[in-house]
Amino acid sequence: MNPSEEGSLTPATQPESRDNVIAWVGLALVIGFFYFGLHHYGPGRAEFVVQTWTRAWNKESDFEHGVIFPFLLAGLLFWRRKEILAARGPGEWLGLIPAVFGALLFLLSYRTIQWRVAIIGLPFLLTGSVWYLWGRRAAWLLAFPLFLIWLAIPVGFLQQATGGLQLIATRLAHVGASLFGVPTTIMGNKLIMADGAGFDVDEGCSGIRSLWALMLIAAAWTYVARIPLWKRVLLFLSAFPIAIIGNALRLISIFIIAKFSGTHFAGGTWHDWSPLVFFYPFSLFLLLTVHSILEGGLPWRKHNRREVRRTVVTRNTVARTQTP
């Protein structure tokens, strides 16, 4: 190896050039100003984009779970950090296309005072910037977690969808409660027990809140799953029936507890805590079950076997090459 080759670095270990660092700092300052410093949205146009966005994560919009999104995004980026850093390469001019498109969406949001349009444009702006500065391979690895931002935007049509989900949840709870010996009568979206106690299946109980939250979790799950793309799609789509089944069982449990422990506890404490102690553990277990079926076994055991086989093959190969 000659001296010039000895001092060379691979693209994965090559330090950032001064121009690249300056570009990243400038980009961070511009995005930070537009999304965290430009007050033009919300009541009286006194809020910046991210402030209005996070304020929309509330019970009224059935989007209380939005607070987990920043931690979920940070966890996904940390999980793939080594791959992302190793994928850095020469930037490409094509990255300017999605970056400029994202910037135009922000300008449109400023003109129309629609903060959601600005959030929709943010993944384009960030992914395009990474593509322009680090190349398409790094941008591809970052695209999925960045576009998860779309699942953290409360949108109006979800409220319109609650009508159908309310009817489905009400009928499933009615049938399920009857199977467990708790007869009920349906009156619209209200279920009345034999003793006259009634429970309204409102928008939150209909499953729209739990469905959207589980979709966000399932999307993150598919990102870290080591299975082919078509299996990842199936795993993500499984969140829909899992959310409906899990929510129906939660409603059924409310009626069963109401019969044997009283309506006060069932409609109060258990109603408020059942999503945390029943719905999410049950739904995550079903996601793991679907993942295991697609994987052909428990994911961690499957990968451990692959690593053992890879290690054995490597050792055998080294042993053969060292044999005189």
Side-chain angles (χ1 to χ4, degrees):
M1 179 183 295
N2 58 49
S4 61
E5 291 176 342
E6 187 175 3
S8 64
L9 296 172
T10 62
T13 59
Q14 197 170 25
E16 293 283 345
S17 66
R18 182 179 177 183
D19 292 342
N20 216 348
V21 172
I22 293 175
W24 275 114
V25 172
L27 178 66
L29 291 175
V30 171
I31 294 179
F33 172 73
F34 286 129
Y35 284 86
F36 292 91
L38 186 61
H39 294 78
H40 186 68
Y41 303 87
R45 302 188 187 181
E47 297 177 346
F48 48 86
V49 174
V50 175
Q51 184 178 3
T52 307
W53 181 26
T54 54
R55 187 171 54 81
W57 298 342
N58 54 54
K59 186 176 182 179
E60 287 70 26
S61 63
D62 290 322
F63 220 87
E64 295 172 288
H65 63 274
V67 295
I68 71 173
F69 170 74
F71 303 99
L72 190 64
L73 178 60
L76 291 178
L77 295 178
F78 181 79
W79 178 272
R80 303 293 290 271
R81 69 192 185 283
K82 293 182 180 180
E83 295 177 65
I84 294 171
L85 292 176
R88 290 177 300 173
E92 301 179 18
W93 286 97
L94 286 174
L96 289 178
I97 297 176
V100 171
F101 179 69
L104 291 176
L105 286 178
F106 181 87
L107 292 177
L108 178 62
S109 76
Y110 187 87
R111 176 65 178 174
T112 58
I113 322 177
Q114 296 292 331
W115 62 269
R116 289 181 178 85
V117 178
I119 300 300
I120 290 174
L122 183 58
F124 289 103
L125 181 57
L126 294 175
T127 304
S129 299
V130 173
W131 188 352
Y132 175 70
L133 294 173
W134 281 355
R136 72 179 65 187
R137 191 165 164 232
W140 176 255
L141 289 173
L142 280 168
F144 187 89
L146 290 178
F147 276 92
L148 280 184
I149 290 175
W150 287 1
L151 292 180
I153 305 175
V155 288
F157 74 83
L158 288 179
Q159 299 295 331
Q160 301 172 6
T162 57
L165 285 177
Q166 277 179 288
L167 295 176
I168 294 174
T170 302
R171 293 186 178 277
L172 288 176
H174 168 69
V175 174
S178 300
L179 292 176
F180 284 93
V182 185
T184 58
T185 303
I186 299 178
M187 294 185 62
N189 65 327
K190 186 174 183 178
L191 289 174
I192 302 175
M193 299 174 61
D195 60 0
F199 293 91
D200 289 320
V201 181
D202 57 19
E203 290 86 351
C205 290
S206 67
I208 192 67
R209 186 184 306 159
S210 53
L211 173 60
W212 209 240
L214 193 61
M215 283 176 56
L216 185 61
I217 295 173
W221 193 312
T222 58
Y223 182 68
V224 301
R226 299 177 182 178
I227 52 180
L229 179 60
W230 70 271
K231 291 186 177 182
R232 294 187 185 190
V233 174
L234 289 179
L235 181 60
F236 173 71
L237 294 178
S238 69
F240 291 87
I242 287 174
I244 294 174
I245 294 171
N247 190 64
L249 292 176
R250 184 182 73 88
L251 291 174
I252 293 170
S253 71
I254 293 176
F255 287 97
I256 295 174
I257 292 176
K259 180 178 180 179
F260 296 102
S261 300
T263 57
H264 179 73
F265 174 77
T269 304
W270 179 248
H271 175 274
D272 296 337
W273 284 92
S274 57
L276 183 62
V277 302
F278 180 83
F279 172 80
Y280 288 109
F282 176 79
S283 299
L284 293 177
F285 172 76
L286 288 185
L287 272 177
L288 176 60
T289 301
V290 174
H291 187 179
S292 299
I293 294 173
L294 294 173
E295 187 85 23
L298 291 174
W300 53 86
R301 290 188 178 181
K302 199 75 174 177
H303 297 313
N304 287 340
R305 291 172 187 167
R306 289 174 185 169
E307 291 298 329
V308 170
R309 287 198 297 267
R310 192 177 296 118
T311 301
V312 172
V313 171
T314 302
R315 288 178 178 175
N316 292 338
T317 303
V318 172
R320 284 196 299 268
T321 57
Q322 292 178 348
T323 300

